[in-house]
Amino acid sequence: MKILVTGGAGFIGSHTVVELVNAGYEPVIIDNFSNSEHSALEGLQQILGRDVICYENDCNDPDALDTIFQKEQITGIIHFAAYKAVGESVASPMKYYRNNLDSTMLLLEKMEQYGVKNFVFSSSCTVYGQPEKLPVTEETPRLPAQSPYGNTKAICEDIIRDVVRANAPIKAISLRYFNPIGAHPSALIGELPLGVPSNLVPFVTQTAAGLREKITIFGDDYNTPDGTCIRDYIHVVDLAKAHVQALRLLDKQTEGNYYDVFNVGTGQGNTVLELVQTFEEVNDLKLNYSLGPRRPGDVEKIYAEVDKVNNIMGWKAEKTLADSLRDAWRWQQKLTSK
């Protein structure tokens, strides 16, 4: 079964491609490489021992999608491709709304046109905003998003839900995942931020490698044990495996339309300061970091309740925060040595 993976050369997408192949699926990547590198394809080739089909196109391009659907006989889609930086979305909201919403709607239209049934959407815990009660469950009310990025994920979820409700012959799952970190244990693929990283762990690893002078932890006066934000950090390989399980669950849905949402996290929260200190401990090094003011758009604390994904999808996070930070550092060391 061929699965179209939009943004498949990106951080989460590339790891999901590996797990799809391991599970017997045939991934087909579409990526415009605006936020990824061609070197990811080389890493995939080394891990898998073969090339992966890849189209260098934008999934907002209807002609490119027509070509892929007609040639490849796609049976399902995992949709990662989106702009994703919280801070940038606050500064450039129209860029985020146009790209993230239009690509999702176009893919859904093409699914109906070509009779593709299964759709897994890359959503985010940002749809919960700053929740009033922790941990968040799938029934936790979605509060107004703290950023345009988060709002695009909520709107896309609504679009997918409404399309399924309208009796489109589509089965869909939205995976609301928390904070993906780490890298493939082989150190052949990992996170490749362009320019200054917007995510914490690449900034940490680049600082450890001497590429950045120091880390600024945004906010030290939150209502948390050490004053820094709390997040649910999940290893990217665990997250990739959740997408395979989502496809398997969709394959089991034989009657009518189906749409559901699942939290994908570890179920445990760690502060930003804990992450930095764990990185130092497991990799036996010291980081230059300081505490700074809060950053616009940041949620104070959030972590997942994962009973639903554990019980219904049969998925559970297996790797620890320490595992993630060891793999992330191994990946950074490989990049730095090039």
Side-chain angles (χ1 to χ4, degrees):
M1 293 183 288
K2 286 189 174 180
I3 306 299
L4 183 63
V5 185
T6 75
F11 177 41
I12 306 172
S14 61
H15 289 80
T16 300
V17 165
V18 172
E19 298 306 324
L20 285 169
V21 172
N22 290 343
Y25 292 92
E26 179 66 32
V28 176
I29 295 171
I30 179 172
D31 201 306
N32 66 5
F33 292 91
S34 64
N35 195 35
S36 55
E37 298 282 354
H38 291 84
S39 59
L41 301 179
E42 299 169 11
L44 288 172
Q45 197 281 334
Q46 291 181 65
I47 292 169
L48 299 172
R50 65 175 181 85
D51 291 328
V52 176
I53 301 167
C54 180
Y55 290 83
E56 187 167 349
N57 294 110
D58 194 310
C59 59
N60 279 297
D61 181 345
D63 293 336
L65 292 180
D66 284 331
T67 297
I68 295 170
F69 279 101
Q70 290 167 8
K71 184 176 180 181
E72 301 296 345
Q73 297 183 314
I74 301 298
T75 61
I77 297 174
I78 302 178
H79 182 32
F80 294 107
Y83 295 142
K84 60 177 185 175
V86 169
E88 183 187 47
S89 78
V90 173
S92 304
M94 280 299 292
K95 174 182 177 181
Y96 275 66
Y97 286 116
R98 188 173 302 281
N99 182 73
N100 294 4
L101 302 187
D102 286 357
S103 62
T104 302
M105 290 188 288
L106 181 59
L107 285 165
L108 290 168
E109 290 170 354
K110 294 301 179 184
M111 288 182 70
E112 290 196 67
Q113 181 179 345
Y114 290 100
V116 178
K117 303 297 185 186
N118 294 343
F119 189 77
V120 179
F121 177 63
S122 166
S123 192
S124 167
C125 66
T126 56
V127 301
Y128 296 115
Q130 176 56 69
E132 296 177 0
K133 184 179 178 182
L134 291 171
V136 292
T137 75
E138 290 81 359
E139 302 303 317
T140 296
R142 292 187 332 191
L143 299 177
Q146 299 287 97
S147 69
Y149 162 72
N151 203 28
T152 67
K153 292 299 185 183
I155 294 170
C156 284
E157 283 192 3
D158 292 345
I159 291 169
I160 298 163
R161 179 203 64 206
D162 291 345
V163 168
V164 171
R165 282 182 179 174
N167 292 317
I170 291 173
K171 299 174 290 180
I173 286 174
S174 291
L175 297 181
R176 293 174 176 168
Y177 32 87
F178 285 67
N179 287 68
I181 61 172
H184 196 269
S186 67
L188 291 168
I189 54 174
E191 193 163 5
L192 275 170
L194 304 181
V196 179
S198 58
N199 293 334
L200 174 63
V201 171
F203 212 104
V204 167
T205 61
Q206 289 187 12
T207 303
L211 303 177
R212 306 285 166 195
E213 182 182 352
K214 71 171 185 177
I215 305 157
T216 299
I217 296 174
F218 296 108
D220 63 349
D221 58 349
Y222 288 106
N223 182 26
T224 63
D226 59 26
T228 66
C229 290
I230 289 177
R231 296 289 182 269
D232 187 337
Y233 296 102
I234 177 173
H235 197 295
V236 65
V237 171
D238 280 337
L239 179 55
K241 291 177 179 178
H243 293 80
V244 174
Q245 288 300 103
L247 283 176
R248 287 173 169 161
L249 181 58
L250 290 175
D251 284 335
K252 293 177 183 177
Q253 308 305 316
T254 56
E255 295 184 10
N257 300 22
Y258 176 88
Y259 176 69
D260 210 346
V261 298
F262 293 87
N263 287 337
V264 185
T266 66
Q268 177 178 335
N270 294 98
T271 70
V272 173
L273 191 57
E274 282 176 329
L275 180 143
V276 169
Q277 293 170 343
T278 300
F279 182 89
E280 291 182 319
E281 180 181 344
V282 299
N283 295 307
D284 193 24
L285 48 77
K286 296 298 291 182
L287 292 167
N288 181 21
Y289 65 88
S290 63
L291 301 172
R294 296 186 182 192
R295 182 173 58 178
D298 277 347
V299 168
E300 178 175 87
K301 49 190 170 184
I302 188 166
Y303 55 95
E305 167 63 68
V306 292
D307 286 351
K308 183 177 178 181
V309 72
N310 292 168
N311 296 330
I312 296 178
M313 197 181 291
W315 172 93
K316 186 175 183 179
E318 297 175 348
K319 295 179 179 289
T320 65
L321 180 64
D323 293 331
S324 300
L325 297 174
R326 284 192 204 95
D327 288 339
W329 178 229
R330 190 179 301 116
W331 165 245
Q332 181 65 61
Q333 287 175 299
K334 185 189 176 197
L335 291 177
T336 307
S337 67
K338 286 186 177 180

